[in-house]
């Protein structure tokens, strides 16, 4: 607290308890104001939170009601990040109390656990069969891990431990007690049946590990020697078989008494209960045990390597991963070594915030307790154990949360390594461990052969790649390329010697859902991008990385992103482009085009445009190659409307202004592409083909012929024919436009009631075109219209338009060619319009009877307006009045039962 806070604190304290405190406060104030008083002769002041003397039992004041209320309140606000952080802070307080050997640490944890179990959401989640939130699950994980730590106390009394175990048994038996996520065993590495498949362990609660830890003791004689720092004098003293199991050849003590995560839990317990030196000694023994076991594994692997490579698959040696494990064994060892490597004035560093900025920590190279033959430091051990754990080949755990936790734990440990300053000693460790990982066979995630469901190494490999690159680029690329695999997505069995492993006979019935597959693919893409960017200017590595990408990445969206990133890297603003990287970018883009050709995505248009721009950066030959192979990359409409148009745009051709040969070759290739596409899909590509071929007479004629030949090709042919016909008229080719319009009319049908048909405007335009060309053309189009159009209002509209003078341009043409009947205004009662008038009248009569068959009163007004339009059309004939009167008389007689409607007819028409 600062001065103002302390003053406020004292004033409030006196105010709250003035009757008890005020006399004491006055006395202390008087003593402080006396210069020679005893209180002024003593430096500092008593700290009520510092605990008792060194030999006394520590027991802070514990306000149980306040703790219970606080935890209850925070759990009710569980959806908020701040509540989760405060609960984590309370867990940290428990660890601090344990480290001070305060007996209230366990009591505080009991109070917190009881409140956690009273959380009403537990019953709700169980009833609904829904999983708890991630934040809540993380809190329960920490709670379970803390109980393991408490139960493993090296100094507690037996009756204390038994009382804790009794509570844990009771909580463990509750229906609402949360289960541990994932498929981690309590008894060691996942057991296997004689047939090779995994024996699935029963689901266990978050307290099961603490109950199991209650069976462990600290009285083992060899364990005591390890904790006391006893070592053999030299390797020659390791004689009997018992010693060989207890010491390595250098005489350093081993610890084989527990499964690896449990041994690490012992280390954590020692650290947490205030035994840092013993924790270090045990941690070093655990690491030496790991090393010796790996050495034996490598020796055995030499015998099996040839057999494994011939088989092309492997069994999984460790179904239970150390990263993401509930006991966090790797994180425990790393932090134990790193905390011991900090300067004395620095406290323990927490895990770096995920996504936050990493800062380097000034760790020191502290010698290993008991000495080491190679003179290694605790900092080197921290790095080594982290690399061993991250590189372990392990099966993907079951469940969404367990998989998320795996990712989070991996990133946390990598973040911890990011705080190290990689000096020469650490780089030596890095290189050695990277080599061991590459040669680790089925024990390593970087081995030559891996199990299909192994956890991918992409995130870890990217860290290794970045860290190794300044010191050993060849090794960095070897590690990163080996890690590019994602075997769970491989569906084709590869040839012998390939890095991709098929699904082998191991665990045939266990195929968990990979909830984090999208995340893993993104990490795979980031690793590939890092290699591509770094390999710029090195053709050998660029082509090697490209081959790996094409073999292992299966997501078109991620491949497209890689292609874009590579193109951007290859073309810096103020420097010449990297041709090799540009070609690789194009190759990746071409692969995306092939992958998405039959399963079109919403991003296809963007992808096609980008591909053309990338090829443009490379040069004319790249564009020509893309156009010549269009059928394997694009749909016909993409090829004509985007590719060919972009390749021959003014901006593109301007880039090759110094080479007319290239310009002409591009245009010729685009025309050839357009004609091929028009042949394949005339309805979609005819107009773009004609547009592209405008400047070349031969190609234009060929495109026009394709349109004529495809005139009756399938439904909807009239639409594209009308479109092309309008284009021809726009280019000043009215006779070709007329020919296409008549072909379109031949493919069209507009029914009696389809006056809003989308082709109505095209029909009106075609008749206007024929009218403008002359009587001969109009005479030839009228029978087609009568055959195609049964809609009376449309026919009436055509008659009226054709009874007017033709458009100005055609009028001028008509006057110069009067012998064919051009320039005259046809009458509705004379050929050729009289046939159209007769058809329109007939259509009105038929439509009227059809509408009256099922008419309802609410449509009477609309029907009367329809009859008014019919009368206007009847009156275009010389005897129209008589025909319409007869028509009305017929209606009144036939439909006399519809009295109200016929009354309306009489009122309007007489």
């Amino acid at each position: 607290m600062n001065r103002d806070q302390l003053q406020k604190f004292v004033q409030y304290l006196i105010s709250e308890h003035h009757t008890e405190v005020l006399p004491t406060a006055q006395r202390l104030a008087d003593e402080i104001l006396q210069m020679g008083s005893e209180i002024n002769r003593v430096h500092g002041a008593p700290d009520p939170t510092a605990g008792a003397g060194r030999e006394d039992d520590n027991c802070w004041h514990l306000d149980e009601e306040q703790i219970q209320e606080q935890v209850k309140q925070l759990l009710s606000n569980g959806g908020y990040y701040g509540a989760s952080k405060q609960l984590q802070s309370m867990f940290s307080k428990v660890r601090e109390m344990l480290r001070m050997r305060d007996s209230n640490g366990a009591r505080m944890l009991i109070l917190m656990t009881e409140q956690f179990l009273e959380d009403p959401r537990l019953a709700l989640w169980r009833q609904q069969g829904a999983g708890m939130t991630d934040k809540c699950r993380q809190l329960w994980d920490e709670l379970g891990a803390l109980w393991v730590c408490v139960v493993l106390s090296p100094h507690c009394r037996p009756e204390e431990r038994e009382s804790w175990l009794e509570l844990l048994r009771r909580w463990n038996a509750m229906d609402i007690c949360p289960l541990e996520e994932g498929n981690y065993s309590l008894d060691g590495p996942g057991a296997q049946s004689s047939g090779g498949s995994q024996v699935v362990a029963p689901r266990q609660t978050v307290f099961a590990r603490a109950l199991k830890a209650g069976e462990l003791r600290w009285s083992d004689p060899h364990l005591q020697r390890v904790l006391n720092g006893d070592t053999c004098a030299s390797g020659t003293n390791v004689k009997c078989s018992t010693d060989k199991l207890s010491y390595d050849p250098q005489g350093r003590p081993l610890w084989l008494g527990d499964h690896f995560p449990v041994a690490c839990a012992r280390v954590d317990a020692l650290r947490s209960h205030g035994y840092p030196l013993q924790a270090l000694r045990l941690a070093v023994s655990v690491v030496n045990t790991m090393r010796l076991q790996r050495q034996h594994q490598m020796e055995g692997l030499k015998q099996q390597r040839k057999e494994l490579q011939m088989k092309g698959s492997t069994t999984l040696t460790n179904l239970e991963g150390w990263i993401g494990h509930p006991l966090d064994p790797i994180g425990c060892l790393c932090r134990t070594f790193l905390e011991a490597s900090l300067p004395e004035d620095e406290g323990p560093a927490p895990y770096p915030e995920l996504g936050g900025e990493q800062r380097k920590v000034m760790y020191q190279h502290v010698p290993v307790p008991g000495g080491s033959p190679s003179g290694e430091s605790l900092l080197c051990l921290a790095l080594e154990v982290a690399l061993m754990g991250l590189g372990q080949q392990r099966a993907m755990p079951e469940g969404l949360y367990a998989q998320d936790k795996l990712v989070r734990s991996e990133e946390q440990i990598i973040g911890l390594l990011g705080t190290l300053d990689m000096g020469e000693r650490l780089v030596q460790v890095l290189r050695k461990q990277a080599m061991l990982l590459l040669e680790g066979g089925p024990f390593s995630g970087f081995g030559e052969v891996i199990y299909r469901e192994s956890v991918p190494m992409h995130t870890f490999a990217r860290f290794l790649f970045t860290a190794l690159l300044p010191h050993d680029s060849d090794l960095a690329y070897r590690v990163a390329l080996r890690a590019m695999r994602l075997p769970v997505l491989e569906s084709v069995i590869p040839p012998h010697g390939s890095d991709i492993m098929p699904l082998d006979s191991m665990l045939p019935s266990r195929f968990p859902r990979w909830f984090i597959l999208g995340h893993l693919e993104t990490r795979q893409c980031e690793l590939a991008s890092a290699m591509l960017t770094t390999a710029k200017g090195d053709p050998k590595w660029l082509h090697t990385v490209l081959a790996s990408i094409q073999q292992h990445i299966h997501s078109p969206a991620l491949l497209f992103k890689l292609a874009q990133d590579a193109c951007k890297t290859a073309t810096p603003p103020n420097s010449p482009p990297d041709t090799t990287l540009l070609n690789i970018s194009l190759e990746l883009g071409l692969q995306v085009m092939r992958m998405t050709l039959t399963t079109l995505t919403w991003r296809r248009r963007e992808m096609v445009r980008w591909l053309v721009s990338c090829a443009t950066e490379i040069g004319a030959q790249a564009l020509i190659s893309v156009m010549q192979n269009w059928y394997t990359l694009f749909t016909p409409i993409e090829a004509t409307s985007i590719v060919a148009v972009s390749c021959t745009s003014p901006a593109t051709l301007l880039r090759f202004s110094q080479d007319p040969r290239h310009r002409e070759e591009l245009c010729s290739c685009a025309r050839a592409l357009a004609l091929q596409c028009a042949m394949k899909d005339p309805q979609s590509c005819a107009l773009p083909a004609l547009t592209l071929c405008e400047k070349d007479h031969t190609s234009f004629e060929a495109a026009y012929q394709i349109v004529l030949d495809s005139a009756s090709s399938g439904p909807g042919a009239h639409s594209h024919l009308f479109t092309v016909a309008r284009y021809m008229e726009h280019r000043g080719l009215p006779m070709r436009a007329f020919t296409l319009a008549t072909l379109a009319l031949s493919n069209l049908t507009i029914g009696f009631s389809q006056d809003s048909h989308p082709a109505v405007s095209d029909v009106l335009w075609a008749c206007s075109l024929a009218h403008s060309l002359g009587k001969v053309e109009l005479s030839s189009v009228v029978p087609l219209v009568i055959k195609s159009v049964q809609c009376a209002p449309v026919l009436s509209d055509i008659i009226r338009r054709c009874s007017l003078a033709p458009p100005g341009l055609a009028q001028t043409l008509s006057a110069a060619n009067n012998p064919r009947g051009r320039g005259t205004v046809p009458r509705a009662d004379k050929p050729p319009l009289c046939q159209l008038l007769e058809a329109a009248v007939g259509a009105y009569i038929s439509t009227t009877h059809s509408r009256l068959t099922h008419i309802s009163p609410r449509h009477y007004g609309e029907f009367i307006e329809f009859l008014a339009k019919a009368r206007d059309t009847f009156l275009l004939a010389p005897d129209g009045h008589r025909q319409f009167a007869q028509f009305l008389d017929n209606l009144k007689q036939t439909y006399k039962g519809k009295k109200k409607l016929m009354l309306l007819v009489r009122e309007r028409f007489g």
Side-chain angles (χ1 to χ4, degrees):
M1 293 183 185
N2 59 32
R3 185 190 183 285
D4 291 339
Q5 290 172 324
L6 285 169
Q7 180 178 335
K8 184 175 287 189
F9 174 72
V10 171
Q11 287 175 321
Y12 269 90
L13 186 64
I14 294 172
S15 176
E16 289 283 335
H17 305 283
H18 59 276
T19 55
E20 300 92 346
V21 175
L22 194 57
T24 306
Q26 186 64 56
R27 177 178 58 79
L28 292 174
D30 291 342
E31 289 187 26
I32 289 172
L33 293 173
Q34 293 176 9
M35 295 299 295
S37 64
E38 184 180 351
I39 199 170
N40 284 325
R41 289 198 300 269
V42 177
H43 292 287
D47 182 357
T49 66
R54 185 174 181 84
E55 303 303 324
D56 296 339
D57 285 338
N58 294 334
C59 185
W60 294 359
H61 172 69
L62 192 69
D63 189 337
E64 297 190 358
E65 288 186 8
Q66 182 184 356
I67 288 173
Q68 290 171 321
E69 188 58 37
Q70 187 177 2
V71 173
K72 183 178 180 180
Q73 184 65 34
L74 290 171
L75 286 173
S76 66
N77 296 332
Y80 295 98
Y81 177 67
S84 177
K85 286 197 74 171
Q86 287 187 61
L87 286 167
Q88 289 286 2
S89 178
M90 293 182 76
F91 286 142
S92 299
K93 188 67 176 176
V94 171
R95 286 191 179 271
E96 182 185 345
M97 294 167 77
L98 295 178
R99 188 163 55 251
M100 298 295 295
R101 304 184 193 176
D102 186 325
S103 58
N104 275 327
R107 179 60 189 155
M108 182 173 173
L109 188 59
I110 291 171
L111 295 172
M112 293 184 71
T113 306
E114 288 173 343
Q115 289 304 309
F116 267 71
L117 287 165
E118 288 178 14
D119 189 344
R121 293 175 298 173
L122 291 177
L124 187 64
W125 284 328
R126 185 174 185 275
Q127 183 181 359
Q128 295 176 344
M132 62 176 67
T133 63
D134 275 5
K135 289 176 184 174
C136 197
R137 168 60 64 188
Q138 289 173 34
L139 292 170
W140 275 101
D141 281 356
E142 178 65 15
L143 191 67
L146 259 178
W147 271 113
V148 172
C149 189
V150 168
V151 169
L152 274 176
S153 169
H155 59 251
C156 72
R157 297 186 300 275
E159 56 270 22
E160 272 187 304
R161 180 182 286 108
E162 187 52 44
S163 67
W164 298 330
L165 292 174
E166 185 58 38
L167 282 172
L168 288 167
R169 291 187 198 101
R170 179 158 56 84
W171 296 332
N172 189 65
M174 296 173 70
D175 289 340
I176 58 170
C177 186
L179 299 176
E180 184 180 273
E181 288 286 330
N183 47 313
Y184 298 98
S185 167
L186 283 177
D187 301 309
Q192 296 176 10
S193 68
S194 57
S197 60
Q198 183 187 15
V199 178
V200 179
R203 294 295 300 277
Q204 57 211 24
T205 74
V206 293
F207 299 123
R209 293 189 182 278
L211 284 167
K212 192 74 177 175
E215 302 171 7
L216 302 176
R217 297 294 179 267
W218 296 90
S219 54
D220 181 89
H222 181 65
L223 178 58
Q224 286 299 316
R225 286 195 291 273
V226 171
L227 299 181
N228 293 328
D230 297 340
T231 59
C232 287
S234 68
T236 56
N237 292 334
V238 182
K239 297 175 182 176
C240 66
S241 59
T242 307
D243 282 347
K244 287 182 179 178
L245 292 175
S246 301
Y247 297 91
D248 68 6
Q250 287 76 38
R252 295 174 298 190
L254 307 174
W255 177 239
L256 292 161
D258 297 310
H259 170 43
F260 173 67
V262 176
C264 295
R266 283 189 187 268
V267 174
D268 186 42
L270 288 166
R271 238 175 88 233
S272 300
H273 287 279
Y275 298 92
L277 182 57
Q278 289 83 351
L280 267 179
R281 289 168 178 163
L282 182 56
V284 171
S285 292
V286 170
V287 173
N288 287 332
T289 306
M290 291 171 67
R291 288 169 165 173
L292 193 61
Q293 288 174 337
R294 182 164 68 174
Q295 183 182 331
H296 292 158
Q297 289 169 350
M298 297 292 284
E299 289 170 358
L301 180 62
K302 290 176 184 176
Q303 311 298 323
Q304 305 171 23
R305 187 177 298 276
K306 190 172 181 181
E307 178 187 340
L308 280 172
Q309 288 178 337
M310 289 296 294
K311 184 182 176 186
S313 62
T314 179
T315 55
L316 198 61
T317 59
N318 198 345
L319 299 173
E320 181 171 287
W322 298 334
I323 303 296
H325 191 282
L327 295 176
D328 188 22
I330 299 298
C332 167
L333 292 181
C334 275
R335 290 174 62 78
T336 300
F337 294 136
L338 289 179
E339 285 180 15
S341 304
L342 283 168
E344 290 185 6
D345 56 343
E346 285 204 32
Y351 274 130
E353 288 283 339
L354 293 183
E357 184 179 350
Q358 290 184 351
R359 66 177 185 86
K360 300 297 181 183
V361 179
M362 298 305 294
Y363 293 110
Q364 300 173 338
H365 282 282
V366 178
V368 172
S372 169
S374 56
E376 61 193 352
S377 68
L378 294 176
L379 195 55
C380 293
L381 285 187
L383 177 59
E384 180 178 343
V385 78
L387 299 178
M388 290 173 71
L390 289 166
Q392 175 205 29
Q393 184 178 174
R394 54 200 181 269
M396 179 66 70
E398 295 176 355
L400 171 59
Y401 176 77
Q403 293 176 16
D404 276 340
K405 184 178 179 182
L406 169 76
V407 170
R408 193 167 55 250
S409 299
E410 181 182 45
E411 290 176 350
Q412 282 177 337
I413 293 174
I414 291 173
L416 212 52
L417 297 183
T419 65
L420 305 183
D421 186 5
M422 290 292 174
E424 185 180 347
R425 294 176 70 179
L426 292 185
V427 169
Q428 288 177 359
V429 174
L430 195 67
R431 294 178 66 173
K432 179 183 177 183
Q433 293 303 316
M435 291 296 298
L436 288 171
L437 287 171
L438 288 173
E439 298 166 3
F443 308 102
S444 165
F446 293 86
E448 292 172 344
V449 289
I450 57 173
Y451 172 58
R452 186 174 187 251
E453 290 179 52
S454 290
V455 173
M457 297 283 113
H458 307 130
T459 306
F460 178 37
R462 189 176 178 193
F463 164 77
L464 288 175
F465 179 74
T466 305
L468 285 168
L469 200 60
H471 313 285
D472 190 337
S473 60
D474 186 70
L475 181 58
Y477 278 107
R478 286 176 60 201
V479 167
L481 289 167
R482 182 72 65 80
M484 277 292 291
R485 302 168 294 190
L486 189 50
V488 76
L489 292 183
E490 304 297 340
S491 56
V492 180
I493 296 179
H496 290 314
S498 170
D499 278 345
I500 309 176
M501 290 303 105
L503 177 64
D504 48 50
S505 59
M506 180 65 179
L507 311 185
S509 62
R510 180 185 168 273
F511 189 79
R513 289 183 62 189
W514 284 44
F515 298 96
I516 58 170
L517 190 57
H519 171 84
L520 297 175
E521 287 187 284
T522 302
R523 289 289 181 263
Q524 181 189 36
C525 176
E526 289 171 355
L527 174 61
S529 182
M531 285 194 287
L532 277 179
T533 304
T534 307
K536 179 183 176 182
D538 189 333
K540 183 195 80 168
W541 282 123
L542 280 175
H543 287 295
T544 306
V545 173
L546 172 64
S548 180
I549 290 170
Q550 291 177 320
Q551 186 178 16
H552 297 302
I553 296 185
H554 307 281
S555 165
L558 293 176
L559 280 172
F560 182 52
K561 184 179 184 307
L562 272 177
Q564 288 179 304
D565 291 347
C567 185
K568 188 175 180 181
T569 304
T571 53
N574 302 315
S575 305
D578 185 304
T579 309
T580 307
L581 188 53
L582 259 182
N583 278 288
I584 282 174
S585 173
L586 179 64
E587 186 57 44
L588 289 172
L590 294 174
Q591 183 175 346
V592 172
M593 291 295 103
R594 288 189 286 266
M595 291 172 72
T596 57
L597 179 59
T598 54
T599 55
L600 299 180
T601 71
W602 61 273
R603 295 189 66 189
R604 271 286 292 193
R605 192 173 186 85
E606 175 196 354
M607 291 173 173
V608 173
R609 288 189 184 280
W610 176 86
L611 185 79
V612 174
S613 68
C614 180
T616 305
E617 290 289 341
I618 295 173
Q621 287 306 316
L623 289 171
I624 291 168
S625 175
V626 166
M627 286 193 284
Q628 288 176 340
N629 296 286
W630 72 267
Y631 47 87
T632 64
L633 305 169
F634 315 109
T635 62
I637 187 64
E638 288 173 343
T640 51
S641 64
I642 303 177
V643 179
V645 171
S646 299
C647 289
T648 55
S649 68
T652 303
L653 295 177
L654 186 62
R655 293 176 68 102
F656 308 108
S657 57
Q658 303 299 320
D659 193 339
R661 184 178 57 84
H662 274 158
R663 289 165 61 99
E664 180 50 40
E665 198 173 354
L666 279 173
C667 294
S668 175
C669 194
R671 290 192 293 268
L673 176 151
L675 293 175
Q676 293 169 15
C677 293
M679 289 284 289
K680 193 172 181 66
D681 185 2
Q683 289 192 23
S684 301
C685 302
L687 183 57
L690 284 164
T691 306
L692 285 163
C693 297
E694 274 184 349
K695 296 179 181 177
D696 185 85
H697 177 73
T698 305
S699 299
F700 187 82
E701 291 300 316
Y704 177 63
Q705 190 58 47
I706 290 171
V707 176
L708 295 177
D709 294 343
S710 64
S712 58
S713 57
H718 63 83
S719 177
H720 99 93
L721 287 170
F722 275 129
T723 303
V724 178
R726 287 177 184 264
Y727 163 79
M728 288 294 184
E729 185 197 31
H730 182 69
R731 286 194 78 246
L733 300 168
M735 287 310 299
R736 287 192 172 187
F738 175 73
T739 302
L740 292 170
T742 57
L743 289 172
L745 285 170
S746 303
N747 286 278
L748 176 66
T749 301
I750 298 178
F752 287 102
S753 60
Q754 291 183 293
D755 51 342
S756 59
H757 191 287
V760 167
S761 61
D762 289 325
V763 173
L764 295 174
W765 169 81
C767 292
S768 295
L769 176 65
H771 179 30
S772 69
L773 291 173
K775 188 174 182 179
V776 174
E777 287 76 11
L778 186 59
S779 298
S780 66
V781 88
V782 164
L784 294 174
V785 172
I786 293 172
K787 182 180 177 182
S788 301
V789 182
Q790 285 87 44
C791 184
V794 176
L795 292 170
S796 300
D797 203 358
I798 294 171
I799 294 169
R800 288 188 179 82
R801 288 174 183 241
C802 292
S803 300
L804 301 172
L809 177 62
Q811 181 77 32
T812 305
L813 293 170
S814 299
N817 298 280
N818 204 35
R820 293 188 60 198
R822 294 180 174 128
T824 60
V825 180
R827 291 177 50 183
D829 59 336
K830 299 294 182 182
L833 293 185
C834 61
Q835 298 170 297
L836 204 56
L837 177 60
E838 185 180 341
V841 169
Y844 269 117
I845 293 171
S846 300
T847 306
T848 300
H849 286 293
S850 175
R851 293 181 69 164
L852 284 172
T853 304
H854 301 291
I855 196 169
S856 62
R858 71 174 181 273
H859 294 132
Y860 284 174
E862 183 184 326
F863 177 74
I864 295 300
E865 294 304 318
F866 176 77
L867 280 184
K869 292 179 182 178
R871 179 180 62 182
D872 293 342
T873 302
F874 272 78
L875 294 180
L876 292 175
D879 58 345
H881 282 286
R882 182 183 60 78
Q883 287 186 44
F884 187 67
Q886 288 180 348
F887 174 53
L888 287 180
D889 290 341
N890 180 265
L891 287 182
K892 293 169 187 175
Q893 184 63 33
T894 306
Y895 301 100
K896 57 187 177 182
K898 300 183 183 294
K899 295 180 182 179
K900 186 176 179 181
L901 177 60
M902 291 304 113
L903 179 62
L904 293 172
V905 170
R906 289 189 188 93
E907 288 177 356
R908 181 73 175 268
F909 303 107

